[in-house]
Amino acid sequence: MNQRLHNDMSDQELLQRYKTDGDSYWVGILFDRYALQLLGVCMKYLKNEEDARDAVQQIFLKVLSDIHKHEVQYFHAWIYQVTKNYCLMQLRHPERRHPAAITEQHAEQLDSGAEQALNPVEKEAALEHMEAALQQLNEPQRVCVTKFYLGKQSYQEIADTTPYTLLQVKSHIQNGKRNLRLFMEKQGAFKSR
């Protein structure tokens, strides 16, 4: 579909189309209209561009899943309130803002040479835990996480070589990192610091 042909549709028309056929394309147009404003709101609350961009992605996914539960009369006002509430929730629970921080910290330690502290048996066990954790991810997360971290591909390269959109790739990587961390913690592969 050519998005430019649909840009003249009202928010209400786009919402109705989405509720009728479930095609996220319609919400995508709406989201494009407000993405910069939402990013600004997120920056105002979260004070960090990366956190703000992640928040906008999560809000988009929340909109896709929650829009059917609400009778939205004024999308602009509704999405602003959803965004504000999301940011406030992140500020109340800062550990939610960085669900993959432990995984990243663990990866950084390995990259920085901290693996020297592990003996070969411990190193092998850690790799086995990571491999087992990867297998626990759903296919989109496993594919995106593997291509991003092991294949060193960019978000765009992954989107170009998979059936996933750029937004989906970012979401799969973020959720995949969180799920890896949770699995690794559950297995005792590494502990929160």
Side-chain angles (χ1 to χ4, degrees), residues 104-116 149 152:
E104 289 169 359
Q105 182 182 24
H106 188 253
E108 286 170 14
Q109 287 173 347
L110 289 175
D111 287 345
S112 70
E115 75 272 30
Q116 302 302 326
Y149 288 103
K152 304 291 185 198

Side-chain angles (χ1 to χ4, degrees), residues 71-84:
E71 195 56 47
V72 178
Q73 296 298 319
Y74 301 100
F75 183 79
H76 181 262
W78 182 78
I79 191 67
Y80 175 83
Q81 193 60 48
V82 168
T83 302
K84 181 180 168 187

Side-chain angles (χ1 to χ4, degrees), residues 75-128:
F75 183 79
H76 181 262
W78 182 78
I79 191 67
Y80 175 83
Q81 193 60 48
V82 168
T83 302
K84 181 180 168 187
N85 291 344
Y86 181 90
C87 290
L88 290 172
M89 188 63 70
Q90 298 310 299
L91 293 172
R92 282 189 203 113
H93 303 285
E95 68 278 1
R96 290 185 186 176
R97 284 177 53 198
H98 298 289
I102 295 166
T103 301
E104 289 169 359
Q105 182 182 24
H106 188 253
E108 286 170 14
Q109 287 173 347
L110 289 175
D111 287 345
S112 70
E115 75 272 30
Q116 302 302 326
L118 297 176
N119 68 41
V121 174
E122 291 171 330
K123 197 175 189 180
E124 185 64 31
L127 290 173
E128 285 175 15

Side-chain angles (χ1 to χ4, degrees), residues 17 53 86 128 193:
R17 289 273 182 106
R53 288 185 185 281
Y86 181 90
E128 285 175 15
R193 289 173 179 44

Side-chain angles (χ1 to χ4, degrees), residues 38-55:
L38 299 183
L39 183 61
V41 172
C42 292
M43 284 290 294
K44 175 183 164 188
Y45 285 98
L46 303 177
K47 313 286 191 219
N48 176 293
E49 186 176 352
E50 186 178 339
D51 289 344
R53 288 185 185 281
D54 286 346

